[in-house]
Amino acid sequence: MNIFEISKTFPKEEIYSLTDQIRRASRSVSANIAESYRKRIYPKHYASKLSDSDAENSEKEVWLEYAWRCK
């Protein structure tokens, strides 16, 4: 939710690129964790979904770094 609130302050020209990417990646992290929890009885599926969540988190970090450096 913090990312969503902060991204509201981004320039309007970034709404379909940087803003959208950061919001989608951050939402995907929690969604993948929820999916992994449901798959916890299947160890390989569980690990796969957690890996997906980690990858989305890394993507979010990259987009936040871009936002930070571009001010």
Side-chain angles (χ1 to χ4, degrees), residues 27-37 49-50 52-53 56:
R27 289 175 182 152
S28 186
V29 172
S30 56
N32 279 318
I33 291 171
E35 286 183 48
S36 72
Y37 181 76
K49 283 296 178 186
L50 286 179
D52 291 346
S53 182
E56 290 293 335

Side-chain angles (χ1 to χ4, degrees), residues 1-8 10 17-34 52-64:
M1 294 311 299
N2 288 341
I3 289 173
F4 181 77
E5 291 301 319
I6 291 168
S7 66
K8 285 181 180 180
F10 288 179
S17 54
L18 185 60
T19 304
D20 185 54
Q21 290 285 28
I22 289 174
R23 287 178 180 177
R24 284 190 300 120
S26 66
R27 289 175 182 152
S28 186
V29 172
S30 56
N32 279 318
I33 291 171
D52 291 346
S53 182
D54 184 45
E56 290 293 335
N57 191 53
S58 294
E59 179 184 345
K60 177 200 51 124
E61 291 295 324
V62 168
W63 290 119
L64 288 173

